[in-house]
Amino acid sequence: MIVAPKIRGFICTTAHPTGCAKHIADQIAVVKSRGPIANGPKKVLVIGSSTGYGLSSRIAAAFGSGAATIGVFFEKPAEAERCGTTGWYNSAAFENEAKAAGLYARSFNGDAFSDAMKAEVIEAIKQDFGQVDCIIYSLASPRRTHPKTGEVFKSVLKPIGSDSYTNKNLNTGTGVVNEVTIEPANDDEIAQTIAVMGGEDWEMWIDALLAAGVVAEGTQTVAYSYIGPEVTWPIYKNGTIGRAKEDLERVQRVLDGKLASIKGKAWVSVNKALVTQASSAIPVVPLYISLLYKVMKAEGTHEDCIEQMDRLFRERLYNGNPQPDEAGRIRVDDWEMAPAVQELVGKRWAEVNTENLAELGDFEGYQSSFLRLFGFGLDGVDYNADVDVNVRVPSLV
C-alpha cells in the first residue's frame, strides 16, 4: 500500500516502514561518524526502547560501544490494511541493522510494568548475557496497571495549585499561536500521574534484576527527565509531570544505596526539549520548542535525540566525568539552558504571534521533526511507491 501521514491532533496514526528504517540508518550514521565510545557498556537493557530517547540510547550503545542489547516496548504490528506503529518499525529496522553489523539484539513486546515481562526479560538475560552492565529506563506511557494490586493509573498534564493556568500555545495542526487554559489537577490526579510516570516501576525493575543476580558489578542505570525554562514550569516542572519527575529523583537516591554493594550507580539525566511523541502532547511546549530550535540551529548547538544520547554515553556516563549538578543529576540540557539561549528565547516568547512565528520560530523544523518520528519526510525514500507494511521484528518471530 501507499502510506501517507494521517495526523490527528498531536499524533500521527500512520507510520512508514521504509522511512522508519531510513531514520534508524541516519541515527546509526551519526554515532559511527564519531568513532567508538571508549569504555562503553557491552550488555545493555533498554526499558522503553522503541522511540525517542530510549531508541537513541539503544542505537548509541550498540553502534558506539558494540553493545549487545535487549529492548522492551509495547508496540503493534500491521493488521489488515492498518500500519504497524512507528516503534514497531523502528525496532524491526534496528534489529536488522544490528544483525548486519554482527551485534546481538533481542526485543520483548508487552507491558513493561508487569511482573511477567520482568520475569521473561530476566530469563533471557540469564540465558544470553549472564548479566547486564547498563540499564536504561525510558518508559513513556499514559497509563499503568500496577503489577501487585491490578489498579489502573492514568497520568494527566496539568498544573498544580488553586488557579487555572493560561499561556501562549501553538496549534501544531494549523500553525496558529493562540492561548490555552488548563484547569489544575486534584490530589488524586497528582497521585495517579506519579504512579505512572514516577520512579516506582524503575525501582521494581532494578529490585527484580538484583534479586535474580543479573546485574554486573559497576552497572550504571539511567532514567530520563526534563526541567526546562520558567515559561514551561507551570505545566511541566511545577505541574503533575514535575511531581512524577521529583519521585524519579527520589528513587535515584534509593537505587544508589541498593547498587552500592556492587559499585553501581543510578542517574537521572536531564535532557533537552525535543520533538517526541511524548512532548508533542504537552501544551505550551511545542511553541517553546519551535522558538528554541530557531535559536539553537542559528548557534550551531542544536541536537536531536541521537546526538543527545551519544553525548550522554560518550562524554558523561563512560568517560569518568559525569559532571553532576548540585542535585546529582546529569545535565545534557546544558546547551539549551545556556543563559544567552534562554534570554533570546524568552524575548521571542514575549513577541511571538501567528503572523511572526515563521520569523521568530522554526515551526517548519518542528513539523519536519514530528513527521520524521513516523518515518515521513526522509531523504531517499519514495513515498509514492507501494510499501509492504507487514514488517517483522526478527527476534519476535
Side-chain angles (χ1 to χ4, degrees):
M1 58 190 286
I2 294 174
V3 181
K6 294 181 181 178
I7 298 170
R8 188 173 68 228
F10 52 80
I11 63 169
C12 184
T13 60
T14 53
H16 198 287
T18 309
C20 288
K22 180 62 165 59
H23 198 197
I24 297 297
D26 288 349
Q27 292 187 65
I28 291 170
V30 168
V31 175
K32 291 173 75 171
S33 73
R34 299 179 175 188
I37 297 173
N39 307 310
K42 295 303 178 186
K43 297 176 181 178
V44 178
L45 169 62
V46 183
I47 304 155
S49 66
S50 56
T51 62
Y53 280 120
L55 173 63
S56 293
S57 300
R58 193 177 190 187
I59 292 169
F63 292 92
S65 187
T69 63
I70 290 176
V72 183
F73 50 77
F74 184 61
E75 301 290 351
K76 294 181 180 180
E79 291 181 0
E81 295 301 304
R82 292 175 63 90
C83 297
T85 56
T86 185
W88 181 268
Y89 294 140
N90 288 340
S91 300
F94 172 84
E95 284 201 12
N96 288 329
E97 292 276 6
K99 182 180 179 181
L103 297 170
Y104 170 103
R106 186 171 177 184
S107 301
F108 291 85
N109 188 35
D111 180 8
F113 296 124
S114 70
D115 288 342
M117 178 58 76
K118 292 177 177 68
E120 196 175 349
V121 170
I122 285 168
E123 188 57 35
I125 294 170
K126 287 180 176 179
Q127 289 177 0
D128 298 354
F129 280 7
Q131 293 181 317
V132 292
D133 59 11
C134 176
I135 304 157
I136 303 295
Y137 188 86
S138 185
L139 281 188
S141 173
R143 67 186 65 207
R144 172 183 176 225
T145 300
H146 197 282
K148 308 302 182 188
T149 67
E151 186 175 356
V152 178
F153 301 105
K154 297 179 181 178
S155 62
V156 297
L157 304 168
K158 289 187 175 183
I160 293 174
S162 57
D163 299 323
S164 61
Y165 167 65
T166 300
N167 207 334
K168 288 182 177 179
N169 188 53
L170 174 60
N171 183 320
T172 54
T174 63
V176 171
V177 177
N178 51 22
E179 280 194 339
V180 62
T181 298
I182 309 166
E183 296 304 314
N186 59 40
D187 289 344
D188 181 60
E189 289 173 321
I190 296 169
Q192 292 212 29
T193 303
I194 293 170
V196 176
M197 303 179 71
E200 184 183 34
D201 185 61
W202 184 24
E203 185 174 4
M204 285 180 165
W205 268 100
I206 301 302
D207 283 347
L209 293 162
L210 285 170
V214 296
V215 183
E217 183 171 307
T219 290
Q220 299 192 79
T221 181
V222 189
Y224 297 136
S225 187
Y226 181 66
I227 294 175
E230 288 189 34
V231 70
T232 67
W233 282 6
I235 193 63
Y236 203 100
K237 179 175 178 289
N238 296 335
T240 52
I241 304 178
R243 287 287 179 89
K245 296 304 184 183
E246 287 175 10
D247 189 64
L248 202 67
E249 293 182 20
R250 175 193 65 80
V251 167
Q252 177 266 318
R253 294 187 289 271
V254 171
L255 293 181
D256 261 355
K258 293 183 176 184
L259 292 166
S261 63
I262 58 168
K263 301 177 183 177
K265 182 76 180 76
W267 295 104
V268 168
S269 175
V270 181
N271 303 337
K272 176 194 173 193
L274 284 171
V275 181
T276 65
Q277 292 187 58
S279 70
S280 301
I282 306 172
V284 180
V285 169
L287 180 58
Y288 167 74
I289 289 176
S290 296
L291 299 178
L292 179 72
Y293 274 25
K294 185 88 166 187
V295 172
M296 294 191 75
K297 286 179 180 179
E299 286 210 344
T301 57
H302 173 69
E303 295 175 301
D304 215 326
C305 286
I306 191 61
E307 289 88 0
Q308 279 266 287
M309 294 302 92
D310 182 85
R311 184 155 69 96
L312 173 66
F313 277 74
R314 195 179 296 272
E315 298 183 11
R316 301 301 178 85
L317 289 177
Y318 292 101
N319 72 342
N321 187 26
Q323 303 171 48
D325 68 6
E326 71 286 347
R329 301 168 297 216
I330 293 177
R331 302 294 295 267
V332 286
D333 67 338
D334 46 352
W335 297 354
E336 172 190 354
M337 299 311 297
V341 169
Q342 286 301 314
E343 183 180 352
L344 186 51
V345 173
K347 179 176 181 293
R348 292 181 178 180
W349 181 272
E351 299 170 353
V352 70
N353 55 44
T354 303
E355 288 67 38
N356 62 21
L357 176 61
E359 176 191 349
L360 299 183
D362 183 24
F363 182 48
E364 185 178 332
Y366 180 97
Q367 290 178 303
S368 174
S369 294
F370 179 79
L371 287 172
R372 282 202 307 277
L373 296 177
F374 303 92
F376 297 106
L378 287 115
D379 292 338
V381 178
D382 182 357
Y383 291 100
N384 295 314
D386 276 322
V387 62
D388 184 2
V389 297
N390 291 292
V391 173
R392 292 182 173 184
V393 178
S395 70
L396 294 178
V397 173

